[in-house]
Amino acid sequence: MFYDYVDSGSWTETTYRANTDDFKSIKLRQRVAVNMDGRRTDITMVGQAAKMPVAIAPVGLTGMQFADGEIHAARAAEKFGIPFTLSTMSICSIEDVAENTTAPFWFQLYMMRDRQAMSRMIERARDARCSALVLTLDLQVIGQRHKDLKNGLTAPPRPTLRNIVNLATKPAWCLGMMSTKRRTFRNLVGHVQGVSDMRSLSAWTNEQFDPTLSWADVEWVKRQWGGKLILKGIMVAEDARLAVEVGADAIVVSNHGGRQLDGAPSSIEALPPIVDAVSSRTEVWVDGGIRSGQDVLKAWALGARGTMIGRAMSYGLGAMGEAGVACALQLIQKELDITMAFCGHTDIRDVDKRILLPGTFPT
């Protein structure tokens, strides 16, 4: 059930598949007899140094892919040298990650009706020295995810016979989960009034996602936070302009990994018009469908000044914990570096859409 939670989208999963398929259709122009020595892929994202234009995206339930998963992923990101984002719906809490890392990390906030709870969560992120707040805008209502329904992935998970049999075949996972105290949504349980366990959390959460979210609420969050604000879930130029008007330090072109509006364009298809509309006024990033260093390079060539990865991180984490995340990051960075060289560049900051074959990329 936890693998399917990561490796799936909503309804027919058309947008989920398009996120990766549309990257594959973009072709690269190979150059030869170019000095390829002294390559660099390092940049900054909202002023924070990054070894490559990649940050780990917020992923809910990461601590169910591997025991203490958010801590493992944050440590891997810190050692590698890229930003890590902790989800509101994480298993490890803000404080758990802060206690087990030294580098500042980012915190992702879902807007709930309980503004008092939101204020406390923002304050906790500030106390934990989070260097940016990522406000996700595209979860006012939850898309229908058929695999989660089939698997009984609720809060708490429904112990179906199928799930029990499946867990029996995963002894290492079971031992890991038994050895940790972190098995609930620790950002919420014990921190929100009336939420003391998984059952009370489920009732609270079902009532709390706010369908009335407006740009005035975004301004309220910015005032409450007072630091770097990243707005995630932008898919059209009109919303990108509004994000700039409320003072976003960066926006993330994202369709929630194909888990919300099925039938929407892929993130990479939506990227160029948004770059054209606002890139001179704020940083534009993209997530959704990025599985390789080539995908990162293609996104950069189309104007993204950062990318976020969720599934690529989760696959590595589920396989090998911190070492798996580190391996995934190393693979992405190496492929980015080598592909950039084949395209005739040694510094990613000099790369633009001229490395792409005309007619194969969205405009």
Side-chain angles (χ1 to χ4, degrees), residues 25-233:
S25 67
I26 301 171
K27 304 302 180 186
L28 298 160
R29 296 177 67 242
Q30 182 175 342
R31 300 296 306 279
V32 297
V34 176
N35 185 348
M36 298 180 180
D37 196 26
R39 299 186 300 277
R40 58 181 298 182
T41 60
D42 60 294
I43 55 132
T44 60
M45 298 174 71
V46 290
Q48 187 166 329
K51 189 174 180 179
M52 58 180 173
V54 173
I56 290 182
V59 179
L61 289 173
T62 298
M64 288 296 180
Q65 304 299 336
F66 196 94
D68 299 335
E70 289 88 1
I71 292 172
H72 287 278
R75 283 175 172 169
E78 178 178 352
K79 291 174 183 176
F80 189 84
I82 65 167
F84 168 81
T85 315
L86 182 70
S87 171
T88 291
M89 304 306 292
S90 60
I91 302 302
C92 300
S93 68
I94 301 169
E95 294 79 11
D96 290 330
V97 174
E99 289 168 5
N100 287 277
T101 56
T102 58
F105 58 96
W106 300 343
F107 180 66
Q108 176 264 338
L109 186 71
Y110 285 126
M111 201 64 184
M112 305 294 189
R113 294 177 188 267
D114 187 341
R115 294 298 192 262
Q116 192 174 35
M118 295 297 93
S119 292
R120 287 196 298 269
M121 198 168 293
I122 290 170
E123 186 62 33
R124 287 168 57 206
R126 188 182 297 111
D127 291 344
R129 299 180 298 106
C130 291
S131 53
L133 189 71
V134 180
L135 180 62
T136 296
L137 298 175
D138 59 357
L139 203 75
Q140 292 172 261
V141 294
I142 300 176
Q144 185 165 305
R145 302 159 190 175
H146 292 167
K147 289 180 181 176
D148 289 349
L149 294 173
K150 179 187 72 175
N151 291 331
L153 187 59
T154 58
R158 192 169 67 245
T160 65
L161 178 61
R162 182 172 179 266
N163 288 337
I164 292 170
V165 171
N166 182 255
L167 288 176
T169 68
K170 309 292 187 296
W173 182 91
C174 292
L175 287 171
M177 295 309 298
M178 289 170 61
S179 67
T180 180
K181 61 184 179 182
R182 303 178 181 99
R183 294 189 293 268
T184 65
F185 294 98
R186 287 167 64 92
N187 279 327
L188 300 173
V189 174
H191 291 284
V192 175
Q193 186 175 1
V195 176
S196 57
D197 55 27
M198 289 292 279
R199 292 194 180 279
S200 56
L201 171 66
S202 178
W204 183 84
T205 302
N206 289 338
E207 298 173 353
Q208 283 297 319
F209 284 107
D210 192 351
T212 69
L213 174 66
S214 69
W215 290 104
D217 296 313
V218 177
E219 293 176 328
W220 178 86
V221 170
K222 184 174 176 62
R223 290 193 301 270
Q224 292 285 313
W225 170 242
K228 298 287 186 181
L229 180 65
I230 301 159
L231 299 182
K232 184 173 180 288

